[in-house]
Amino acid sequence: MTISVERPAVPADGVQDMVEPYDVRHAVVTVRMAVSRDQLAAAVEDAATKGYGIKDPDALSVEEVRSLAAHSLAWMSALELEQGARAMAHMAGPDAGDVSLQWYVRGVYRAVDRAFPSAR
């Protein structure tokens, strides 16, 4: 599956292969979706921490951030994405209950801003 995120347009880095080893690839489907900055941060954070154990989001390249976002957006449900976005926004803000992780959360936002610059 390839997910192209618009505004600004970002090329897909590859194909997220969802086909099991015993099956045959039938098609590559392109899904276009509009997402918020918080949703992108949630998607990147989810893949970075759960999937790859990334400790320093500031060290991620633009290509790595885009790949992590595409990976998560391919399999996260809309509800998971929205809950993650709300959690990320809260943890990055001044009312966060646990400020010990703010450096990491803010690093994820910086990585998202590098990979997906604002169109404004």
Side-chain angles (χ1 to χ4, degrees):
M1 177 180 287
T2 301
I3 297 178
S4 300
V5 182
E6 284 193 66
R7 207 71 179 144
V10 177
D13 292 333
V15 174
Q16 299 289 330
D17 199 348
M18 308 294 278
V19 180
E20 295 292 334
Y22 58 82
D23 208 351
V24 178
R25 183 186 291 180
H26 183 74
V28 174
V29 178
T30 299
V31 178
R32 295 169 45 144
M33 62 177 62
V35 292
S36 71
R37 181 174 180 251
D38 293 330
Q39 289 171 325
L40 277 172
V44 170
E45 185 275 334
D46 190 70
T49 57
K50 292 179 185 172
Y52 297 96
I54 293 168
K55 305 289 186 209
D56 183 6
D58 285 314
L60 293 169
S61 71
V62 166
E63 293 77 19
E64 289 170 323
V65 175
R66 290 177 181 171
S67 179
L68 291 170
H71 174 79
S72 287
L73 291 171
W75 65 267
M76 287 179 86
S77 71
L79 179 59
E80 287 175 308
L81 186 61
E82 186 53 33
Q83 288 173 337
R86 288 181 184 174
M88 290 295 288
H90 177 73
M91 289 188 294
D95 297 327
D98 181 6
V99 295
S100 66
L101 294 177
Q102 276 192 333
W103 68 270
Y104 187 85
V105 171
R106 290 177 179 167
V108 170
Y109 275 98
R110 287 189 297 273
V112 164
D113 291 342
R114 284 193 315 276
F116 302 95
S118 177
R120 291 182 223 169

